[in-house]
Amino acid sequence: MHWDDLRFFLAVARLGQLSRASVVLGVDATTVGRRIRRLELRLEQRLFEQTRDGHVLTEAGEHLMTRAEAIEQSISEVESGPAGDTQLAGLIRISASEGFGTWLLAHHIGSFVEAYPGIRVDLVANNGFLSPSKREADVAILLARPRTGPLISKKVSDYVLRPYASHAYLQRHGPIRDVDALRSHCLIGYIPEFVYAPELLYMDEIAPDLEPTIRSSSINAQYRMAAAGVGVAVLPCFIGDADPSLARILPELHINRSFWLVTHQQTRQMARIQAFVEWITELSRQRRDRMMGNLRQCAPEDDR
């Protein structure tokens, strides 16, 4: 068995489609398909099931992926030179919520790649998650602990959400003194049909039948609208408190949520995955006060 065949196999297994794998590998999709078929013939096993959504690993494919990733790690260590933490190499694909990915990881990931220059990082930060159990990602930062699958999970951080409005909005519309008063304001929230995790459906936790006036699938879009003075948005404190143009309102109102770090059982022991898990755990510990909203007080008296 040639390593180059395994390299093609890993690309398809991780990306799920021949066309996507071909872009990463720098060849056409026909070549990728031919290499996969050659590997299956050599092993006398079917490695993928072709579905409407792409190529999904069979049980034989899952077993081969574990062995192929171990070989990939060994090759990376040889190519990177003498052993040592700073010599770790290879690719880590991280799936995270849009908020965590853009407001925490994107701000600090530079310190990780500086510490481990041989490691390449794919950061997938959008509305939805890639699955570690399907090997779509090496690490996922989820809003809830998975209940099934060959996964290892741990809570990486709690965080708090609060309602925010811009100082300009409050000056135009007056103070918001209680939850019932929210019904007379422009509320910004999620589109229920496009919510990818039930933990994001928190309007009913604020008040029954509270409906947003403007809805977006993007937390960053919601933040931008609040900062532009469009209305009131419920934001994680690590987003809302970062913008001095926004004021917290209703100090008694807060919503608690958690981020969970999830990896596959068979890849968690890989050195580069362990290095990232340790790094993000320490980063979250250092940023705990910001995640919990402990670094800022509520709106000044003249905004209430």
Side-chain angles (χ1 to χ4, degrees):
M1 185 185 305
H2 299 291
W3 161 243
D4 212 38
D5 289 339
L6 292 178
R7 187 168 63 89
F8 275 68
F9 164 77
L10 285 173
V12 176
R14 287 166 175 163
L15 298 173
Q17 294 182 357
L18 298 181
S19 57
R20 292 179 181 175
S22 69
V23 173
V24 172
L25 294 166
V27 299
D28 59 67
T30 302
T31 300
V32 178
R34 186 170 61 251
R35 297 289 288 271
I36 295 300
R37 287 191 295 274
R38 185 174 78 177
L39 182 59
E40 288 180 326
L41 288 171
R42 183 173 296 148
L43 296 174
E44 298 182 349
Q45 291 178 315
R46 190 169 185 178
L47 301 175
F48 294 98
E49 294 286 351
Q50 189 164 0
T51 70
R52 184 172 56 185
D53 298 324
H55 283 65
V56 177
L57 287 169
T58 63
E59 185 176 353
E62 289 278 0
H63 288 308
L64 180 60
M65 187 163 187
T66 300
R67 295 160 58 195
E69 287 181 326
I71 294 170
E72 179 187 47
Q73 175 68 18
S74 297
I75 290 174
S76 296
E77 291 171 355
V78 169
E79 290 178 343
S80 64
D85 285 349
T86 60
Q87 300 300 320
L88 296 181
L91 174 67
I92 298 177
R93 174 162 293 161
I94 305 157
S95 176
S97 67
E98 184 186 21
F100 191 94
T102 57
W103 288 85
L104 190 72
L105 283 178
H107 280 262
H108 300 284
I109 196 67
S111 66
F112 178 76
V113 297
E114 286 177 6
Y116 304 100
I119 295 179
R120 294 173 291 120
V121 175
D122 285 351
L123 174 57
V124 183
N126 56 16
N127 297 324
F129 297 106
L130 302 181
S131 170
S133 64
K134 297 179 181 178
R135 304 298 182 85
E136 295 171 339
D138 298 304
V139 179
I141 310 296
L142 306 180
L143 298 177
R145 185 175 193 169
R147 299 300 179 187
T148 61
L151 303 171
I152 298 174
S153 59
K154 73 170 186 176
K155 185 186 292 186
V156 67
S157 178
D158 294 319
Y159 69 103
V160 170
L161 303 100
R162 294 179 180 274
Y164 290 84
S166 71
H167 293 285
Y169 179 89
L170 294 171
Q171 288 172 1
R172 292 198 313 273
H173 295 276
I176 302 173
R177 301 189 185 281
D178 54 44
V179 171
D180 284 339
L182 287 174
R183 300 182 190 280
S184 63
H185 288 268
C186 178
L187 300 183
I188 302 164
Y190 281 101
I191 307 170
E193 297 90 334
F194 294 100
V195 165
Y196 56 90
E199 289 75 21
L200 299 176
L201 295 173
Y202 38 67
M203 280 294 179
D204 282 344
E205 292 184 37
I206 297 173
D209 303 320
L210 199 62
E211 293 287 341
T213 307
I214 303 176
R215 306 186 300 183
S216 173
S217 61
S218 166
I219 190 63
N220 286 331
Q222 293 176 39
Y223 153 67
R224 291 293 183 185
M225 286 187 277
V230 174
V232 178
V234 177
L235 301 172
C237 291
F238 61 83
I239 296 178
D241 289 350
D243 189 338
S245 74
L246 291 176
R248 293 182 183 181
I249 58 174
L250 302 177
E252 74 283 0
L253 179 59
H254 63 276
I255 297 168
N256 298 312
R257 291 290 189 268
S258 301
F259 287 118
W260 292 83
L261 187 148
V262 181
T263 56
H264 197 283
Q265 289 177 353
Q266 294 177 332
T267 59
R268 179 60 173 269
Q269 300 308 313
M270 296 176 69
R272 65 179 182 272
I273 305 300
Q274 285 185 317
F276 180 80
V277 168
E278 292 172 3
W279 175 81
I280 193 63
T281 300
E282 176 60 19
L283 176 64
S284 299
R285 186 192 65 79
Q286 293 175 0
R287 308 295 289 181
R288 175 176 170 75
D289 282 343
R290 189 168 297 279
M291 302 291 282
M292 299 302 294
N294 294 335
L295 299 180
R296 184 165 146 191
Q297 300 301 313
C298 292
E301 190 65 33
D302 58 352
D303 279 340
R304 295 187 206 161

